[in-house]
Amino acid sequence: MIQFDNVTFQYEKANVPALSEITLKINQGEFVAVVGHNGSGKSTLAKHINGLIVPTSGTVTVCGLRTDNEDNLLKIRQNVGMAFQNPDNQLVTTVVEEDVAFGPENLGIAPDEIRLRVDEALASVGMSDYAKNAVHHLSGGQKQRIAIAGILALKPKILVLDEASAMLDPSGRTELLQTVRKLHAAGMTVIMVTQYMEETIDCDRIVVMKSGRIVLTGTPVEVFKETDLLSESNLVPPETVVIRDSLRKLGFKLSDSVLHADQLAEAICPLL
Ligand code: ADP
Ligand code: MG
C-alpha cells in the first residue's frame, strides 16, 4: 500500500536531512504506529505519504503511484486522509453534518450520495447523534472524531494521523483511539504518529524514529523488549511495561507478551 525506498529528505536551508535512508513497506489493512522524540522526523515521514513533500532522493509509492509524479497527486490525495493535531484547524463550518459534507461537496458529489456518506461517516466515529449539533460545543475528542468523519466521507484507503490525540484530554484520547481501532478492524490502513506509547500497544507494528532514521521496527511485543534502544531514543515505554520490567529486575518471571494492564494483573496475581 505504501512503500518508502531509501528516502532521504532535507528541508530547504536545513543543514542536515530530516529523513535519512528510510525504507519502509506498509501493507494494506496494517495498523502502524510511528513514535519518536520531538524532531525525529515523524511529521516529515507522514507528509511524504500524501505527497505534501517529496523525497530529496529515493522514492515513495502509494497505492502503486509515485509521489514525485505530479500527475499522481490528486489520485494519491484521494486515497490518503490526513488528520492533524489541532481539531479546530480542521473544522470549517459550524454544524457537525455540514462539516462532514464539506469535502464531498467540494468534489461535486451528488447530494443523495453525500447524505449517505455523511451518515455512514458519522456512524463510523460514533457521532450520529450529534449530526445537527454546533461544532463549537463539542469536546476536543468529539471534534477530532468529526474531523476524521470529514476525512472518511472522502472514502480514503489510508488514514494518517499525525499526533491527532496530542491536544485531547485522556477521555478524548481514549475515544479517538477506539474510533481508530474500529476503522482498522473494518479494513482501513492506518498510520498513527503518536507521542503516547500506551496508544501503540494494539498496533500491528511500531516504527521507532530517531534523528530522521528508523532505529527499530517490530510488533509491540518485539519493540517493548528493546528497553535500551527505547531509552536511547528518549522514549518511555507504556507504564505496564515499566512495571513489568521493574518486577523482572526483582527476579519475578513475567513474559514479553505482558503489555496490557489486565495481562499484567493476571501475571502478577499468581506471584503474590
Ligand atoms: P517530528 O514530527 O518527529 O517532531 P519533524 O518531521 O517535524 O519531526 O521534523 C524533523 C526535523 O526537520 C526537525 O529537525 C525539524 O526541526 C526539521 N523541520 C521540520 N519542518 C521544517 C521546515 N519546514 N523547515 C526546516 N526544517 C524543518
Ligand atoms: Mg510532528
Side-chain angles (χ1 to χ4, degrees):
M1 203 75 167
I2 301 167
Q3 181 134 13
F4 282 68
D5 274 312
N6 203 21
V7 171
T8 293
F9 176 81
Q10 188 154 344
Y11 286 100
E12 257 177 67
K13 293 180 192 151
N15 299 321
V16 288
L19 293 181
S20 298
E21 298 164 7
I22 300 282
T23 293
L24 175 68
K25 196 170 137 187
I26 296 174
N27 296 316
Q28 182 167 1
E30 228 186 331
F31 186 176
V32 176
V34 180
V35 298
H37 200 245
N38 263 347
S40 59
K42 306 179 299 296
S43 294
T44 306
L45 181 99
K47 285 179 192 150
H48 274 82
I49 299 176
N50 74 346
L52 271 176
I53 47 183
V54 294
T56 308
S57 66
T59 59
V60 176
T61 312
V62 178
C63 301
L65 303 163
R66 271 179 58 163
T67 59
D68 55 356
N69 179 346
E70 276 194 26
D71 296 339
N72 289 338
L73 283 184
L74 182 64
K75 196 81 197 272
I76 288 169
R77 287 178 189 159
Q78 283 170 349
N79 284 322
V80 183
M82 297 266 276
F84 299 96
Q85 214 174 78
N86 189 343
D88 288 321
N89 293 345
Q90 300 170 77
L91 302 175
V92 281
T93 74
T94 52
V95 178
V96 165
E97 64 178 7
E98 285 173 15
D99 210 277
V100 179
F102 188 81
E105 270 167 3
N106 276 328
L107 291 181
I109 289 164
D112 289 353
E113 169 70 14
I114 293 180
R115 182 76 258 165
L116 286 175
R117 288 190 183 198
V118 169
D119 291 346
E120 200 181 300
L122 284 173
S124 304
V125 301
M127 288 294 285
S128 301
D129 293 343
Y130 293 81
K132 311 277 183 203
N133 285 40
V135 168
H136 68 274
H137 282 153
L138 302 177
S139 69
Q142 288 172 330
K143 281 184 189 168
Q144 203 56 293
R145 280 148 69 201
I146 296 304
I148 289 173
I151 295 167
L152 295 178
L154 298 168
K155 303 247 173 211
K157 295 197 174 88
I158 299 166
L159 180 61
V160 180
L161 302 120
D162 188 356
E163 300 207 21
S165 71
M167 294 179 73
L168 307 182
D169 60 17
S171 70
R173 289 210 298 274
T174 306
E175 282 170 25
L176 180 65
L177 189 62
Q178 281 169 351
T179 302
V180 172
R181 282 205 197 115
K182 210 175 106 190
L183 294 171
H184 168 240
M188 183 73 84
T189 305
V190 180
I191 294 88
M192 182 178 74
V193 175
T194 181
Q195 50 173 289
Y196 296 103
M197 299 295 270
E198 276 77 9
E199 294 183 350
T200 67
I201 290 177
D202 288 316
C203 290
D204 297 321
R205 192 147 55 104
I206 302 174
V207 170
V208 181
M209 296 192 65
K210 185 188 173 197
S211 309
R213 292 177 189 272
I214 295 177
V215 290
L216 178 62
T217 169
T219 63
V221 169
E222 289 164 348
V223 165
F224 292 127
K225 271 196 291 204
E226 303 292 336
T227 342
D228 293 343
L229 237 168
L230 288 173
S231 72
E232 278 166 29
S233 309
N234 296 313
L235 295 171
V236 180
E239 207 166 22
T240 46
V241 174
V242 173
I243 296 171
R244 176 194 82 184
D245 293 348
S246 319
L247 287 169
R248 277 178 169 172
K249 282 196 188 117
L250 295 172
F252 294 103
K253 294 208 172 2
L254 293 166
S255 126
D256 288 333
S257 63
V258 170
L259 298 177
H260 280 281
D262 53 352
Q263 294 168 337
L264 184 65
E266 220 168 276
I268 289 175
C269 282
L271 303 176
L272 294 176

